[in-house]
mmCIF file of all heavy atoms in Angstrom:
data_model
loop_
_atom_site.group_PDB
_atom_site.id
_atom_site.type_symbol
_atom_site.label_atom_id
_atom_site.label_comp_id
_atom_site.label_asym_id
_atom_site.label_seq_id
_atom_site.Cartn_x
_atom_site.Cartn_y
_atom_site.Cartn_z
ATOM 1 N N PHE Q 1 121.648 175.220 -59.315
ATOM 2 C CA PHE Q 1 122.009 176.312 -60.219
ATOM 3 C C PHE Q 1 123.012 177.275 -59.592
ATOM 4 O O PHE Q 1 123.806 177.901 -60.281
ATOM 5 C CB PHE Q 1 120.752 177.067 -60.653
ATOM 6 C CG PHE Q 1 121.062 178.217 -61.576
ATOM 7 C CD1 PHE Q 1 121.568 177.985 -62.840
ATOM 8 C CD2 PHE Q 1 120.870 179.529 -61.160
ATOM 9 C CE1 PHE Q 1 121.861 179.032 -63.691
ATOM 10 C CE2 PHE Q 1 121.158 180.584 -61.995
ATOM 11 C CZ PHE Q 1 121.651 180.340 -63.272
ATOM 12 N N ASN Q 2 122.983 177.394 -58.295
ATOM 13 C CA ASN Q 2 123.914 178.321 -57.649
ATOM 14 C C ASN Q 2 125.355 177.815 -57.696
ATOM 15 O O ASN Q 2 126.282 178.530 -57.342
ATOM 16 C CB ASN Q 2 123.514 178.566 -56.189
ATOM 17 C CG ASN Q 2 123.456 177.267 -55.412
ATOM 18 O OD1 ASN Q 2 123.510 176.197 -55.982
ATOM 19 N ND2 ASN Q 2 123.336 177.382 -54.097
ATOM 20 N N THR Q 3 125.524 176.539 -58.141
ATOM 21 C CA THR Q 3 126.875 176.000 -58.270
ATOM 22 C C THR Q 3 127.379 176.097 -59.705
ATOM 23 O O THR Q 3 128.470 176.573 -59.957
ATOM 24 C CB THR Q 3 126.910 174.529 -57.808
ATOM 25 O OG1 THR Q 3 126.434 174.473 -56.464
ATOM 26 C CG2 THR Q 3 128.314 173.966 -57.910
ATOM 27 N N THR Q 4 126.557 175.654 -60.638
ATOM 28 C CA THR Q 4 126.953 175.679 -62.047
ATOM 29 C C THR Q 4 125.755 175.415 -62.928
ATOM 30 O O THR Q 4 124.772 174.840 -62.504
ATOM 31 C CB THR Q 4 128.036 174.633 -62.349
ATOM 32 O OG1 THR Q 4 128.420 174.756 -63.725
ATOM 33 C CG2 THR Q 4 127.574 173.227 -62.104
ATOM 34 N N LEU Q 5 125.829 175.811 -64.176
ATOM 35 C CA LEU Q 5 124.781 175.555 -65.168
ATOM 36 C C LEU Q 5 125.461 175.175 -66.471
ATOM 37 O O LEU Q 5 126.081 175.988 -67.113
ATOM 38 C CB LEU Q 5 123.926 176.802 -65.383
ATOM 39 C CG LEU Q 5 122.913 176.738 -66.543
ATOM 40 C CD1 LEU Q 5 121.822 175.746 -66.225
ATOM 41 C CD2 LEU Q 5 122.331 178.097 -66.837
ATOM 42 N N GLY Q 6 125.356 173.933 -66.854
ATOM 43 C CA GLY Q 6 125.907 173.539 -68.141
ATOM 44 C C GLY Q 6 127.270 172.914 -68.089
ATOM 45 O O GLY Q 6 127.949 172.857 -69.101
ATOM 46 N N GLY Q 7 127.716 172.493 -66.950
ATOM 47 C CA GLY Q 7 128.943 171.695 -66.912
ATOM 48 C C GLY Q 7 130.215 172.482 -66.837
ATOM 49 O O GLY Q 7 131.275 171.997 -67.206
ATOM 50 N N GLY Q 8 130.205 173.742 -66.413
ATOM 51 C CA GLY Q 8 131.454 174.478 -66.250
ATOM 52 C C GLY Q 8 132.295 173.875 -65.156
ATOM 53 O O GLY Q 8 131.817 173.174 -64.289
ATOM 54 N N ASN Q 9 133.581 174.209 -65.146
ATOM 55 C CA ASN Q 9 134.498 173.608 -64.187
ATOM 56 C C ASN Q 9 134.771 174.496 -62.980
ATOM 57 O O ASN Q 9 135.370 174.078 -62.016
ATOM 58 C CB ASN Q 9 135.826 173.281 -64.877
ATOM 59 C CG ASN Q 9 135.655 172.212 -65.924
ATOM 60 O OD1 ASN Q 9 135.049 171.200 -65.652
ATOM 61 N ND2 ASN Q 9 136.175 172.448 -67.121
ATOM 62 N N SER Q 10 134.370 175.754 -63.061
ATOM 63 C CA SER Q 10 134.655 176.662 -61.954
ATOM 64 C C SER Q 10 133.472 176.740 -61.031
ATOM 65 O O SER Q 10 132.335 176.741 -61.450
ATOM 66 C CB SER Q 10 134.980 178.064 -62.508
ATOM 67 O OG SER Q 10 135.032 178.991 -61.455
ATOM 68 N N PRO Q 11 133.713 176.827 -59.713
ATOM 69 C CA PRO Q 11 132.593 176.960 -58.797
ATOM 70 C C PRO Q 11 131.892 178.300 -58.922
ATOM 71 O O PRO Q 11 130.779 178.454 -58.460
ATOM 72 C CB PRO Q 11 133.241 176.797 -57.423
ATOM 73 C CG PRO Q 11 134.670 177.159 -57.634
ATOM 74 C CD PRO Q 11 135.011 176.752 -59.002
ATOM 75 N N ASN Q 12 132.528 179.279 -59.549
ATOM 76 C CA ASN Q 12 131.900 180.591 -59.752
ATOM 77 C C ASN Q 12 131.043 180.528 -61.001
ATOM 78 O O ASN Q 12 131.534 180.389 -62.100
ATOM 79 C CB ASN Q 12 132.979 181.666 -59.907
ATOM 80 C CG ASN Q 12 132.386 183.064 -59.985
ATOM 81 O OD1 ASN Q 12 131.422 183.301 -60.700
ATOM 82 N ND2 ASN Q 12 133.002 183.983 -59.258
ATOM 83 N N LYS Q 13 129.723 180.637 -60.840
ATOM 84 C CA LYS Q 13 128.841 180.433 -61.982
ATOM 85 C C LYS Q 13 129.042 181.490 -63.051
ATOM 86 O O LYS Q 13 128.953 181.199 -64.238
ATOM 87 C CB LYS Q 13 127.373 180.413 -61.540
ATOM 88 C CG LYS Q 13 126.832 181.751 -61.065
ATOM 89 C CD LYS Q 13 125.364 181.632 -60.709
ATOM 90 C CE LYS Q 13 124.796 182.980 -60.281
ATOM 91 N NZ LYS Q 13 123.387 182.893 -59.934
ATOM 92 N N THR Q 14 129.328 182.742 -62.666
ATOM 93 C CA THR Q 14 129.521 183.789 -63.665
ATOM 94 C C THR Q 14 130.754 183.507 -64.497
ATOM 95 O O THR Q 14 130.766 183.643 -65.713
ATOM 96 C CB THR Q 14 129.644 185.154 -62.974
ATOM 97 O OG1 THR Q 14 128.488 185.388 -62.191
ATOM 98 C CG2 THR Q 14 129.774 186.264 -63.995
ATOM 99 N N ASP Q 15 131.809 183.092 -63.854
ATOM 100 C CA ASP Q 15 133.060 182.834 -64.553
ATOM 101 C C ASP Q 15 132.985 181.583 -65.411
ATOM 102 O O ASP Q 15 133.660 181.477 -66.423
ATOM 103 C CB ASP Q 15 134.184 182.698 -63.529
ATOM 104 C CG ASP Q 15 135.538 182.572 -64.194
ATOM 105 O OD1 ASP Q 15 135.883 183.465 -64.980
ATOM 106 O OD2 ASP Q 15 136.229 181.575 -63.925
ATOM 107 N N SER Q 16 132.191 180.607 -65.016
ATOM 108 C CA SER Q 16 132.168 179.327 -65.713
ATOM 109 C C SER Q 16 131.234 179.304 -66.903
ATOM 110 O O SER Q 16 131.402 178.493 -67.798
ATOM 111 C CB SER Q 16 131.769 178.205 -64.739
ATOM 112 O OG SER Q 16 130.447 178.428 -64.286
ATOM 113 N N LEU Q 17 130.211 180.205 -66.934
ATOM 114 C CA LEU Q 17 129.194 180.124 -67.970
ATOM 115 C C LEU Q 17 129.350 181.165 -69.059
ATOM 116 O O LEU Q 17 128.965 180.926 -70.191
ATOM 117 C CB LEU Q 17 127.803 180.272 -67.343
ATOM 118 C CG LEU Q 17 127.385 179.163 -66.388
ATOM 119 C CD1 LEU Q 17 126.054 179.509 -65.775
ATOM 120 C CD2 LEU Q 17 127.328 177.843 -67.101
ATOM 121 N N ILE Q 18 129.844 182.303 -68.746
ATOM 122 C CA ILE Q 18 129.800 183.419 -69.679
ATOM 123 C C ILE Q 18 131.187 183.972 -69.946
ATOM 124 O O ILE Q 18 132.177 183.509 -69.394
ATOM 125 C CB ILE Q 18 128.869 184.528 -69.144
ATOM 126 C CG1 ILE Q 18 129.378 185.041 -67.803
ATOM 127 C CG2 ILE Q 18 127.440 184.024 -69.024
ATOM 128 C CD1 ILE Q 18 128.541 186.178 -67.236
ATOM 129 N N CYS Q 19 131.196 184.952 -70.829
ATOM 130 C CA CYS Q 19 132.448 185.574 -71.239
ATOM 131 C C CYS Q 19 133.175 186.154 -70.026
ATOM 132 O O CYS Q 19 132.591 186.866 -69.214
ATOM 133 C CB CYS Q 19 132.153 186.668 -72.259
ATOM 134 S SG CYS Q 19 133.619 187.491 -72.903
ATOM 135 N N SER Q 20 134.451 185.793 -69.880
ATOM 136 C CA SER Q 20 135.216 186.231 -68.728
ATOM 137 C C SER Q 20 136.644 186.536 -69.146
ATOM 138 O O SER Q 20 137.211 185.879 -70.023
ATOM 139 C CB SER Q 20 135.217 185.159 -67.634
ATOM 140 O OG SER Q 20 136.078 185.507 -66.579
ATOM 141 N N ALA Q 21 137.218 187.523 -68.513
ATOM 142 C CA ALA Q 21 138.608 187.877 -68.803
ATOM 143 C C ALA Q 21 139.582 186.936 -68.114
ATOM 144 O O ALA Q 21 140.774 186.922 -68.434
ATOM 145 C CB ALA Q 21 138.874 189.321 -68.362
ATOM 146 N N ASN Q 22 139.097 186.155 -67.159
ATOM 147 C CA ASN Q 22 139.970 185.242 -66.425
ATOM 148 C C ASN Q 22 140.251 183.991 -67.259
ATOM 149 O O ASN Q 22 139.347 183.425 -67.886
ATOM 150 C CB ASN Q 22 139.323 184.827 -65.102
ATOM 151 C CG ASN Q 22 139.094 186.016 -64.190
ATOM 152 O OD1 ASN Q 22 139.888 186.953 -64.172
ATOM 153 N ND2 ASN Q 22 138.002 185.974 -63.437
ATOM 154 N N ASN Q 23 141.505 183.555 -67.246
ATOM 155 C CA ASN Q 23 141.866 182.326 -67.959
ATOM 156 C C ASN Q 23 141.268 181.118 -67.244
ATOM 157 O O ASN Q 23 141.284 181.039 -66.019
ATOM 158 C CB ASN Q 23 143.390 182.182 -68.034
ATOM 159 C CG ASN Q 23 144.007 183.211 -68.961
ATOM 160 O OD1 ASN Q 23 143.395 183.580 -69.966
ATOM 161 N ND2 ASN Q 23 145.209 183.667 -68.624
ATOM 162 N N ARG Q 24 140.740 180.180 -68.032
ATOM 163 C CA ARG Q 24 140.157 178.959 -67.462
ATOM 164 C C ARG Q 24 141.110 177.790 -67.683
ATOM 165 O O ARG Q 24 141.722 177.652 -68.735
ATOM 166 C CB ARG Q 24 138.810 178.637 -68.128
ATOM 167 C CG ARG Q 24 137.716 179.652 -67.854
ATOM 168 C CD ARG Q 24 136.407 179.162 -68.481
ATOM 169 N NE ARG Q 24 135.294 180.042 -68.178
ATOM 170 C CZ ARG Q 24 134.912 181.061 -68.923
ATOM 171 N NH1 ARG Q 24 135.582 181.356 -70.026
ATOM 172 N NH2 ARG Q 24 133.879 181.797 -68.588
ATOM 173 N N THR Q 25 141.196 176.930 -66.707
ATOM 174 C CA THR Q 25 141.966 175.692 -66.836
ATOM 175 C C THR Q 25 141.077 174.547 -66.388
ATOM 176 O O THR Q 25 140.254 174.698 -65.482
ATOM 177 C CB THR Q 25 143.239 175.726 -65.972
ATOM 178 O OG1 THR Q 25 142.879 175.936 -64.605
ATOM 179 C CG2 THR Q 25 144.180 176.825 -66.446
ATOM 180 N N GLU Q 26 141.255 173.416 -67.030
ATOM 181 C CA GLU Q 26 140.458 172.247 -66.685
ATOM 182 C C GLU Q 26 141.143 171.483 -65.566
ATOM 183 O O GLU Q 26 142.279 171.044 -65.701
ATOM 184 C CB GLU Q 26 140.270 171.342 -67.907
ATOM 185 C CG GLU Q 26 139.335 170.182 -67.649
ATOM 186 C CD GLU Q 26 139.125 169.357 -68.903
ATOM 187 O OE1 GLU Q 26 139.984 169.393 -69.789
ATOM 188 O OE2 GLU Q 26 138.086 168.681 -68.986
ATOM 189 N N SER Q 27 140.442 171.323 -64.462
ATOM 190 C CA SER Q 27 140.994 170.607 -63.318
ATOM 191 C C SER Q 27 140.624 169.136 -63.420
ATOM 192 O O SER Q 27 139.455 168.781 -63.459
ATOM 193 C CB SER Q 27 140.448 171.196 -62.011
ATOM 194 O OG SER Q 27 140.899 170.447 -60.909
ATOM 195 N N CYS Q 28 141.630 168.273 -63.487
ATOM 196 C CA CYS Q 28 141.387 166.835 -63.611
ATOM 197 C C CYS Q 28 141.844 166.070 -62.379
ATOM 198 O O CYS Q 28 141.897 164.850 -62.375
ATOM 199 C CB CYS Q 28 142.115 166.283 -64.839
ATOM 200 S SG CYS Q 28 141.544 167.017 -66.388
ATOM 201 N N GLU Q 29 142.211 166.779 -61.334
ATOM 202 C CA GLU Q 29 142.654 166.125 -60.113
ATOM 203 C C GLU Q 29 141.473 165.854 -59.197
ATOM 204 O O GLU Q 29 140.567 166.655 -59.070
ATOM 205 C CB GLU Q 29 143.669 167.003 -59.378
ATOM 206 C CG GLU Q 29 144.953 167.263 -60.185
ATOM 207 C CD GLU Q 29 145.898 168.164 -59.427
ATOM 208 O OE1 GLU Q 29 145.538 168.556 -58.290
ATOM 209 O OE2 GLU Q 29 146.975 168.478 -59.961
ATOM 210 N N ASN Q 30 141.543 164.683 -58.545
ATOM 211 C CA ASN Q 30 140.519 164.313 -57.558
ATOM 212 C C ASN Q 30 139.119 164.356 -58.156
ATOM 213 O O ASN Q 30 138.169 164.767 -57.525
ATOM 214 C CB ASN Q 30 140.585 165.237 -56.333
ATOM 215 C CG ASN Q 30 141.923 165.189 -55.649
ATOM 216 O OD1 ASN Q 30 142.540 164.135 -55.541
ATOM 217 N ND2 ASN Q 30 142.383 166.348 -55.194
ATOM 218 N N THR Q 31 139.028 163.919 -59.418
ATOM 219 C CA THR Q 31 137.719 163.935 -60.097
ATOM 220 C C THR Q 31 136.727 163.041 -59.385
ATOM 221 O O THR Q 31 135.554 163.367 -59.246
ATOM 222 C CB THR Q 31 137.890 163.463 -61.560
ATOM 223 O OG1 THR Q 31 138.877 164.280 -62.193
ATOM 224 C CG2 THR Q 31 136.596 163.556 -62.318
ATOM 225 N N ALA Q 32 137.198 161.916 -58.896
ATOM 226 C CA ALA Q 32 136.271 160.987 -58.258
ATOM 227 C C ALA Q 32 135.617 161.590 -57.037
ATOM 228 O O ALA Q 32 134.425 161.426 -56.799
ATOM 229 C CB ALA Q 32 137.013 159.695 -57.874
ATOM 230 N N GLU Q 33 136.398 162.357 -56.263
ATOM 231 C CA GLU Q 33 135.809 162.955 -55.072
ATOM 232 C C GLU Q 33 134.792 164.029 -55.441
ATOM 233 O O GLU Q 33 133.811 164.239 -54.742
ATOM 234 C CB GLU Q 33 136.915 163.556 -54.207
ATOM 235 C CG GLU Q 33 137.782 162.536 -53.483
ATOM 236 C CD GLU Q 33 138.868 161.955 -54.377
ATOM 237 O OE1 GLU Q 33 138.878 162.280 -55.584
ATOM 238 O OE2 GLU Q 33 139.698 161.173 -53.878
ATOM 239 N N LYS Q 34 135.029 164.732 -56.561
ATOM 240 C CA LYS Q 34 134.142 165.826 -56.935
ATOM 241 C C LYS Q 34 132.777 165.335 -57.380
ATOM 242 O O LYS Q 34 131.775 165.993 -57.183
ATOM 243 C CB LYS Q 34 134.771 166.634 -58.076
ATOM 244 C CG LYS Q 34 135.971 167.460 -57.661
ATOM 245 C CD LYS Q 34 136.466 168.278 -58.846
ATOM 246 C CE LYS Q 34 137.654 169.127 -58.460
ATOM 247 N NZ LYS Q 34 138.103 169.952 -59.598
ATOM 248 N N VAL Q 35 132.742 164.204 -58.028
ATOM 249 C CA VAL Q 35 131.485 163.763 -58.637
ATOM 250 C C VAL Q 35 130.952 162.495 -57.984
ATOM 251 O O VAL Q 35 130.210 161.738 -58.580
ATOM 252 C CB VAL Q 35 131.674 163.531 -60.154
ATOM 253 C CG1 VAL Q 35 131.935 164.821 -60.854
ATOM 254 C CG2 VAL Q 35 132.791 162.532 -60.430
ATOM 255 N N GLY Q 36 131.315 162.258 -56.766
ATOM 256 C CA GLY Q 36 130.723 161.140 -56.044
ATOM 257 C C GLY Q 36 131.205 159.797 -56.537
ATOM 258 O O GLY Q 36 130.405 158.983 -56.978
ATOM 259 N N PHE Q 37 132.505 159.537 -56.480
ATOM 260 C CA PHE Q 37 133.104 158.266 -56.861
ATOM 261 C C PHE Q 37 132.895 157.955 -58.335
ATOM 262 O O PHE Q 37 132.929 156.819 -58.743
ATOM 263 C CB PHE Q 37 132.537 157.106 -56.012
ATOM 264 C CG PHE Q 37 132.729 157.318 -54.555
ATOM 265 C CD1 PHE Q 37 131.671 157.743 -53.763
ATOM 266 C CD2 PHE Q 37 133.968 157.121 -53.967
ATOM 267 C CE1 PHE Q 37 131.851 157.953 -52.407
ATOM 268 C CE2 PHE Q 37 134.146 157.335 -52.618
ATOM 269 C CZ PHE Q 37 133.093 157.746 -51.831
ATOM 270 N N GLU Q 38 132.655 158.967 -59.156
ATOM 271 C CA GLU Q 38 132.447 158.721 -60.575
ATOM 272 C C GLU Q 38 133.492 159.462 -61.380
ATOM 273 O O GLU Q 38 133.771 160.615 -61.151
ATOM 274 C CB GLU Q 38 131.057 159.202 -61.004
ATOM 275 C CG GLU Q 38 130.853 159.130 -62.506
ATOM 276 C CD GLU Q 38 129.651 159.914 -62.936
ATOM 277 O OE1 GLU Q 38 129.037 160.582 -62.094
ATOM 278 O OE2 GLU Q 38 129.354 159.881 -64.125
ATOM 279 N N SER Q 39 134.075 158.802 -62.331
ATOM 280 C CA SER Q 39 134.971 159.441 -63.290
ATOM 281 C C SER Q 39 134.282 159.468 -64.633
ATOM 282 O O SER Q 39 133.511 158.580 -64.970
ATOM 283 C CB SER Q 39 136.281 158.665 -63.408
ATOM 284 O OG SER Q 39 137.055 159.160 -64.477
ATOM 285 N N ASP Q 40 134.554 160.520 -65.425
ATOM 286 C CA ASP Q 40 133.932 160.633 -66.732
ATOM 287 C C ASP Q 40 134.291 159.465 -67.634
ATOM 288 O O ASP Q 40 133.601 159.186 -68.599
ATOM 289 C CB ASP Q 40 134.350 161.945 -67.413
ATOM 290 C CG ASP Q 40 133.702 163.146 -66.752
ATOM 291 O OD1 ASP Q 40 132.709 162.928 -66.059
ATOM 292 O OD2 ASP Q 40 134.192 164.281 -66.925
ATOM 293 N N VAL Q 41 135.401 158.827 -67.356
ATOM 294 C CA VAL Q 41 135.818 157.710 -68.203
ATOM 295 C C VAL Q 41 135.815 156.413 -67.394
ATOM 296 O O VAL Q 41 136.570 155.489 -67.671
ATOM 297 C CB VAL Q 41 137.221 157.976 -68.799
ATOM 298 C CG1 VAL Q 41 137.156 159.107 -69.788
ATOM 299 C CG2 VAL Q 41 138.246 158.274 -67.709
ATOM 300 N N SER Q 42 134.984 156.335 -66.391
ATOM 301 C CA SER Q 42 134.943 155.161 -65.532
ATOM 302 C C SER Q 42 134.601 153.913 -66.340
ATOM 303 O O SER Q 42 133.720 153.919 -67.194
ATOM 304 C CB SER Q 42 133.908 155.356 -64.423
ATOM 305 O OG SER Q 42 133.800 154.184 -63.642
ATOM 306 N N VAL Q 43 135.322 152.832 -66.054
ATOM 307 C CA VAL Q 43 135.119 151.575 -66.766
ATOM 308 C C VAL Q 43 133.956 150.792 -66.171
ATOM 309 O O VAL Q 43 133.262 150.056 -66.889
ATOM 310 C CB VAL Q 43 136.415 150.736 -66.721
ATOM 311 C CG1 VAL Q 43 136.199 149.375 -67.367
ATOM 312 C CG2 VAL Q 43 137.549 151.479 -67.410
ATOM 313 N N LEU Q 44 133.704 150.944 -64.879
ATOM 314 C CA LEU Q 44 132.720 150.109 -64.199
ATOM 315 C C LEU Q 44 131.310 150.229 -64.789
ATOM 316 O O LEU Q 44 130.657 149.198 -65.004
ATOM 317 C CB LEU Q 44 132.702 150.432 -62.696
ATOM 318 C CG LEU Q 44 131.775 149.546 -61.850
ATOM 319 C CD1 LEU Q 44 132.123 148.074 -62.024
ATOM 320 C CD2 LEU Q 44 131.854 149.941 -60.386
ATOM 321 N N PRO Q 45 130.782 151.434 -65.064
ATOM 322 C CA PRO Q 45 129.440 151.486 -65.673
ATOM 323 C C PRO Q 45 129.361 150.735 -66.997
ATOM 324 O O PRO Q 45 128.388 150.015 -67.254
ATOM 325 C CB PRO Q 45 129.202 152.985 -65.869
ATOM 326 C CG PRO Q 45 130.082 153.647 -64.876
ATOM 327 C CD PRO Q 45 131.292 152.786 -64.785
ATOM 328 N N ARG Q 46 130.379 150.873 -67.819
ATOM 329 C CA ARG Q 46 130.393 150.162 -69.102
ATOM 330 C C ARG Q 46 130.470 148.655 -68.884
ATOM 331 O O ARG Q 46 129.826 147.878 -69.601
ATOM 332 C CB ARG Q 46 131.582 150.638 -69.950
ATOM 333 C CG ARG Q 46 131.621 152.150 -70.146
ATOM 334 C CD ARG Q 46 132.744 152.567 -71.064
ATOM 335 N NE ARG Q 46 132.912 154.028 -71.060
ATOM 336 C CZ ARG Q 46 133.637 154.700 -71.937
ATOM 337 N NH1 ARG Q 46 134.279 154.044 -72.886
ATOM 338 N NH2 ARG Q 46 133.740 156.016 -71.874
ATOM 339 N N LEU Q 47 131.255 148.251 -67.892
ATOM 340 C CA LEU Q 47 131.385 146.827 -67.592
ATOM 341 C C LEU Q 47 130.063 146.249 -67.095
ATOM 342 O O LEU Q 47 129.685 145.127 -67.460
ATOM 343 C CB LEU Q 47 132.485 146.617 -66.544
ATOM 344 C CG LEU Q 47 132.804 145.164 -66.172
ATOM 345 C CD1 LEU Q 47 133.286 144.398 -67.399
ATOM 346 C CD2 LEU Q 47 133.852 145.110 -65.068
ATOM 347 N N LEU Q 48 129.346 146.996 -66.271
ATOM 348 C CA LEU Q 48 128.050 146.528 -65.775
ATOM 349 C C LEU Q 48 127.041 146.379 -66.913
ATOM 350 O O LEU Q 48 126.284 145.400 -66.952
ATOM 351 C CB LEU Q 48 127.513 147.495 -64.717
ATOM 352 C CG LEU Q 48 128.214 147.471 -63.357
ATOM 353 C CD1 LEU Q 48 127.709 148.602 -62.473
ATOM 354 C CD2 LEU Q 48 128.007 146.122 -62.670
#
């Protein structure tokens, strides 16, 4: 929970979950490293 709650993209839990004046951008770089060799659109799980 100290990292995120509900799938936000920012490591700051306050900024990622609730109303914030800061602009949010979706980071799609190095997704595999972030989630342990898994991509949200990975073909391998579907293939298995």
Side-chain angles (χ1 to χ4, degrees):
F1 179 66
N2 57 349
T3 303
T4 183
L5 172 68
N9 294 312
S10 170
N12 186 314
K13 69 178 182 180
T14 303
D15 186 56
S16 64
L17 295 175
I18 60 178
C19 182
S20 173
N22 298 325
N23 290 326
R24 294 184 176 91
T25 58
E26 186 177 23
S27 176
C28 298
E29 298 178 1
N30 301 322
T31 305
E33 287 81 355
K34 289 183 179 182
V35 293
F37 303 102
E38 173 194 5
S39 171
D40 288 341
V41 292
S42 176
V43 176
L44 184 56
R46 306 184 190 193
L47 183 61
L48 287 172

